[in-house]
Amino acid sequence: MKIVIGEGSCGIAAGAEKVYKALAAVQDGFELGITGCIGMCFLEPIADIYNEKGLLLKRLVRVTPEDAPRIAQAVKEGDLASLGDLAIKDEDAEFLSKQTRIALRHCGLIDPEDIGSYTAGDGYKAIAKVLKEYTPEQVIEEIKTSGLAGRGGAGFPTWFKWDAARKSPGDEKYLICNADEGDPGAFMDRAVIESDPHSLIEGMLIAAYAIGASKAFVYVRAEYPLAILRLKKAIKDAEAHNILGKNILGSDFSLELRIKAGAGAFVCGEETALIESLEGSRGMPRLKPPFPAQKGYINKPSNINNVETFANVAWIINNGGEAFAAMGTETSKGTKVFALTGKIRRGGLVEIPMGLTLREVIFGIGGGIRDGKKFKAVQMGGPSGGCIPESLLDTVIDYKALSATGAIMGSGGMVVMDENTCMVNMAKFFLDFTTKESCGKCVPCRIGTKRMHEILDRITSGRGVPEDIDKLETLCTGIKDGALCGLGQTAPNPVLTTLKYFRDEYEAHINEKRCPAKECAGLRRYRIDKEACRGCTLCARKCPVGAISGSVKQPHEIDPEKCIRCGACFDVCRFGAVVCE
Amino acid sequence: MRETKCDLGPLRDILRDYEGDDHALIEILQRAQEHYGYLPADVIDEVSRVKGIPTAKILGVATFYTQFRLQPVGKNLIMLCKGTACHVNGADGIEKAVCEELNINDGETTEDGLFTLKTVACLGCCSLSPVMMINDETYGSLTPDKAKEILRGYKEG
């Protein structure tokens, strides 16, 4: 038997490496291996037990190093039933069984550090087939049939970009993979690179062949050290197998693939800013046109796609564009990977065919909201996206339908919020982010986002005035129309969508000086419930400003004039007598 | 003339790897920082001299990207995640607790040089949120008290 530990970044952060070491220390009569991200972050660390034929016998979840001896014992004796308490529950297993995995097809199944594990299946068969049987035009045609669109967020047809780069004059062309996954709350690309780096390489090989590039870069976020490490190894192994380098697999096609680590700038997810960064400069976007297909890296024709887009390519070649197009909706084909996080019961990586509703993903796969709380909104598309309210949960996942809500498909971050999340504060959070990440090249973004952030800060701290909402709307329109690049043009989306669906919360903050979700510290009011108070004096002792008075065993009282609303009394009260309203 | 404080030998070795490459400034700075822990002024001057890039441009790049530091960091670097998932799950409260415990704000180093606090946009382990990383160790599902306790552990060594 073989025990395989899920060692993606999340798994390691949850303690997978320690579990691996503990098992290695008691290893006896079984093999031990690793795989990438299984996608069920809420159950990490995960240990899968396989038989000799590679069949999954049992999946153990939330394993601790202390469990290692009895796992080893059970595996040695073939008594897996004794591990019942660690086995995954049926309802949790549904998290995976309800998905359709194409981009993530190997994630959690193969060893990302072993090229043999990739080629044992259909790995590198697609590039071999392409080199033997396809002209570059035929590859582009197949991708066109599949309907694959850019998974980085904008949803631009992939074949169109490839075709433009192919037809662009010039004999030196570049292929670039955008792995600068900057949206906070999104980790799909990281998971693909950490768990299945060869499928990214294979997708890039096919794309490079199609557009006629002989040099390629993967631009990876520096915050993803494990992804960089595994990709480096994968590139080295592919070179050793003549899958990268000169005359690949005996053909006259050559490709040199290099990794460039980003240095931390959200704007570098924008393709022209990314090119600037590749050239060693500050990541400031260029005016388009010329598009990268005409003048990209060092002014040569270049094509940029996202990691997930490339991860679909080999599958499309192996299974045909039509099989891919058979999934999804009229306007959006195939599947999409989402990083489901926030106040969700079952969080992790979810890949589903386009056309499912948000409700099916959040409640069907994710299991709904944690701790019995009420769903309030789901944030999609990160700082460029928006918040979708409960009334629109039956919206289907499709580029067009999601854009109609004011949010966007985005790269795949799906952050779920419950009744305790203040939507005005959420908008402020994103504006704080875009203000810091604005590169400063154009005025509407540099100054506009700053002014918006100031207004939102004023509203959440109780100093808002009724004109603020109008001012915000004016600024939103101005920035959308005037900003140079995608970062600025979409920066108002979190404000626009929250104003559209949660206007009452803005009004409560401004007119009643009240935060309905009780999240904004400056607007909270604390009082002591005289019935519940036992007079233990703990709150009075903890209050940093001496705002609480009362004698021992007598109900206490908070002086609202002195209170600074820090919540210290609320946190320490053991009788639930301090009420926050 | 400013006094030269650091040994530029290792930097010159790094620069040798990029001879003739005019697009490698970010990679050079990344490797220099990996070696020196931050980007001392001498290092920037030397990169400028060897590569023929104006110091202003190098400083422009070094201050544009969040990864680069112009000051040395404390013994323990705390990266506190303030991504969306962490925000929704209470990262503000964790930041407040860390600041209180160490008596520093974001970007600052404690007087004893033991800790530097840096908030970051997303560490990518959203399911464990709220999260912080101290050096290479990740701590998830934090509460303000848990965060303080972890820091005290580091203080005691």
Side-chain angles (χ1 to χ4, degrees):
Chain A
M1 274 190 267
K2 184 172 185 180
I3 304 179
V4 175
I5 312 291
E7 290 206 6
S9 282
C10 316
I12 293 174
E17 186 77 22
K18 289 173 190 139
V19 171
Y20 183 93
K21 281 187 184 142
L23 279 168
V26 291
Q27 189 173 0
D28 180 15
F30 61 87
E31 279 184 81
L32 193 56
I34 64 154
T35 185
C37 176
I38 296 166
M40 297 195 280
C41 306
F42 65 110
L43 297 175
E44 301 278 12
I46 299 174
D48 285 340
I49 303 174
Y50 289 91
N51 69 7
E52 281 71 23
K53 290 180 185 142
L55 190 76
L56 179 63
L57 299 177
K58 215 164 197 82
R59 170 161 284 162
L60 309 179
V61 300
R62 296 204 178 105
V63 181
T64 62
E66 291 72 41
D67 295 322
R70 70 184 179 105
I71 294 174
Q73 184 81 13
V75 169
K76 195 181 166 192
E77 290 168 8
D79 174 29
L80 297 186
S82 67
L83 300 171
D85 57 318
L86 290 171
I88 187 169
K89 290 194 192 80
D90 289 345
E91 54 161 22
D92 287 339
E94 276 184 7
F95 182 83
L96 273 190
S97 60
K98 285 183 174 172
Q99 302 188 31
T100 307
R101 291 191 152 191
I102 291 179
L104 303 178
R105 61 194 177 280
H106 299 130
C107 291
L109 299 175
I110 66 169
D111 179 348
E113 297 182 8
D114 175 17
I115 189 170
S117 181
Y118 182 69
T119 50
D122 57 3
Y124 290 120
K125 293 212 167 64
I127 182 64
K129 186 170 153 190
V130 160
L131 291 176
K132 252 190 223 146
E133 301 168 20
Y134 286 59
T135 63
E137 288 77 10
Q138 282 171 317
V139 173
I140 294 175
E141 200 52 41
E142 195 69 59
I143 298 298
K144 189 178 179 181
T145 307
S146 75
L148 178 65
R151 296 293 193 245
F156 201 72
T158 304
W159 76 270
F160 191 90
K161 284 171 85 165
W162 290 14
D163 196 48
R166 162 135 208 102
K167 288 183 178 149
S168 191
D171 48 12
E172 194 183 329
K173 293 179 185 176
Y174 289 88
L175 180 74
I176 299 161
C177 171
N178 183 349
D180 191 45
E181 188 169 52
D183 281 7
F187 51 89
M188 302 76 49
D189 295 347
R190 191 205 73 211
V192 169
I193 304 177
E194 283 177 1
S195 315
D196 192 12
H198 289 285
S199 85
L200 169 65
I201 296 176
E202 189 169 9
M204 290 186 74
L205 277 162
I206 296 167
Y209 175 77
I211 67 168
S214 56
K215 283 195 177 124
F217 295 108
V218 183
Y219 185 88
V220 196
R221 274 185 97 188
E223 288 91 337
Y224 288 172
L226 183 66
I228 294 176
L229 201 77
R230 289 196 177 150
L231 186 59
K232 262 188 192 157
K233 174 154 196 325
I235 291 174
K236 228 173 144 188
D237 291 347
E239 282 168 349
H241 284 74
N242 186 226
I243 291 166
L244 276 172
K246 296 241 176 295
N247 300 102
I248 291 166
L249 301 174
S251 70
D252 52 11
F253 169 64
S254 302
L255 185 72
E256 184 193 316
L257 182 60
R258 277 183 63 192
I259 298 175
K260 283 240 188 182
F266 175 68
V267 69
C268 290
E270 201 279 340
E271 54 182 11
T272 59
L274 190 153
I275 290 171
E276 286 285 330
S277 182
L278 275 182
E279 293 175 0
S281 303
R282 295 204 268 176
M284 287 182 153
R286 301 171 181 171
L287 199 62
K288 292 191 277 194
F291 291 95
Q294 289 126 25
K295 280 187 175 185
Y297 179 67
I298 53 172
N299 284 327
K300 305 284 182 197
S302 307
N303 176 67
I304 303 179
N305 290 121
N306 156 277
V307 175
E308 192 188 331
T309 313
F310 285 125
N312 281 305
V313 171
W315 189 93
I316 292 173
I317 297 295
N318 283 328
N319 297 276
E322 276 167 19
F324 192 80
M327 288 175 287
T329 66
E330 193 57 40
T331 52
S332 306
K333 303 297 184 193
T335 59
K336 177 76 193 87
V337 185
F338 292 99
L340 190 57
T341 62
K343 303 274 181 90
I344 192 88
R345 268 184 61 206
R346 302 199 281 260
L349 279 182
V350 178
E351 182 171 1
I352 44 114
M354 301 271 192
L356 248 61
T357 64
L358 290 169
R359 192 185 299 279
E360 284 168 307
V361 174
I362 296 166
F363 288 87
I365 296 174
I369 306 296
R370 230 171 27 212
D371 307 328
K373 294 265 170 64
K374 206 169 156 283
F375 173 90
K376 188 187 240 178
V378 56
Q379 209 284 339
M380 291 188 68
S384 310
C387 295
I388 300 173
E390 191 177 11
S391 59
L392 294 176
L393 268 183
D394 292 310
T395 304
V396 293
I397 293 169
D398 149 301
Y399 288 99
K400 225 169 148 185
L402 287 172
S403 296
T405 66
I408 55 168
M409 175 85 75
S411 59
M414 208 185 250
V415 185
V416 176
M417 298 159 207
D418 68 10
E419 54 196 305
N420 292 359
T421 311
C422 169
M423 301 313 284
V424 188
N425 197 35
M426 198 68 214
K428 185 179 102 175
F429 165 79
F430 280 115
L431 261 295
D432 178 50
F433 181 82
T434 32
T435 306
K436 284 179 187 152
E437 294 294 339
S438 173
C439 79
K441 185 168 179 171
C442 74
V443 176
C445 177
R446 182 179 71 235
I447 302 178
T449 54
K450 176 108 183 124
R451 291 289 97 87
M452 281 175 80
H453 182 253
E454 284 166 1
I455 295 174
L456 290 165
D457 189 48
R458 196 154 73 210
I459 297 176
T460 52
S461 55
R463 293 175 287 112
V465 290
E467 303 86 82
D468 280 343
I469 293 184
D470 293 337
K471 276 189 194 154
L472 277 176
E473 282 174 335
T474 312
L475 279 165
C476 284
T477 326
I479 298 169
K480 251 179 139 46
D481 293 344
L484 176 69
C485 81
L487 187 152
Q489 288 156 11
T490 58
N493 284 349
V495 177
L496 284 170
T497 50
T498 47
L499 270 174
K500 189 169 166 189
Y501 301 119
F502 301 97
R503 203 179 189 90
D504 55 329
E505 290 198 24
Y506 280 83
E507 287 166 354
H509 281 77
I510 295 171
N511 302 331
E512 301 163 33
K513 307 291 173 212
R514 183 174 69 84
C515 172
K518 296 173 194 165
E519 193 186 336
C520 296
L523 296 174
R524 282 187 208 137
R525 299 279 181 282
Y526 293 95
R527 65 175 177 82
I528 292 174
D529 179 350
K530 291 202 157 64
E531 301 289 308
C533 178
R534 308 276 182 90
C536 75
T537 75
L538 188 59
C539 61
R541 280 181 279 136
K542 280 283 171 183
C543 178
V545 290
I548 302 177
S549 56
S551 335
V552 185
K553 296 195 175 161
Q554 294 300 315
H556 281 46
E557 211 170 352
I558 300 174
D559 179 353
E561 295 295 313
K562 282 189 189 163
C563 175
I564 56 164
R565 303 175 187 120
C566 67
C569 51
F570 183 82
D571 292 339
V572 295
C573 182
R574 288 179 304 227
F575 311 106
V578 179
V579 184
C580 172
E581 44 197 24
Chain B
M1 277 291 280
R2 201 185 49 245
E3 197 187 338
T4 303
K5 287 178 198 142
C6 52
D7 172 16
L8 293 175
L11 175 69
R12 291 190 182 120
D13 290 340
I14 294 170
L15 284 165
R16 219 162 285 136
D17 289 345
Y18 297 93
E19 264 173 36
D21 186 344
D22 292 336
H23 305 291
L25 177 59
I26 294 174
E27 283 167 285
I28 293 169
L29 296 182
Q30 282 171 333
R31 286 186 54 191
Q33 178 162 293
E34 208 176 287
H35 181 83
Y36 295 100
Y38 70 110
L39 296 175
D42 315 334
V43 165
I44 290 176
D45 287 344
E46 181 67 7
V47 174
S48 168
R49 192 184 66 75
V50 175
K51 297 301 288 181
I53 303 171
T55 328
K57 175 167 176 182
I58 300 177
L59 276 170
V61 168
T63 52
F64 185 87
Y65 295 99
T66 52
Q67 189 189 15
F68 297 120
R69 299 181 289 261
L70 300 175
Q71 301 293 331
V73 285
K75 191 175 160 216
N76 300 297
L77 177 63
I78 306 167
M79 288 196 283
L80 183 86
C81 183
K82 296 205 76 184
T84 320
C86 287
H87 169 81
V88 170
N89 283 317
D92 281 347
I94 310 298
E95 186 183 0
K96 206 175 130 208
V98 172
C99 292
E100 267 173 24
E101 179 67 28
L102 301 178
N103 208 12
I104 50 172
N105 289 315
D106 181 21
E108 294 176 358
T109 302
T110 51
E111 265 176 36
D112 56 10
L114 213 49
F115 295 97
T116 297
L117 172 64
K118 202 172 161 171
T119 59
V120 295
C122 188
L123 292 171
C125 21
C126 307
S127 55
L128 302 172
S129 60
V131 180
M132 69 175 172
M133 261 179 100
I134 302 181
N135 307 324
D136 291 327
E137 190 72 31
T138 307
Y139 298 93
S141 310
L142 294 172
T143 60
D145 286 338
K146 202 172 148 190
K148 286 185 181 176
E149 208 175 289
I150 292 165
L151 293 173
R152 279 173 207 148
Y154 276 83
K155 279 183 193 168
E156 284 154 16

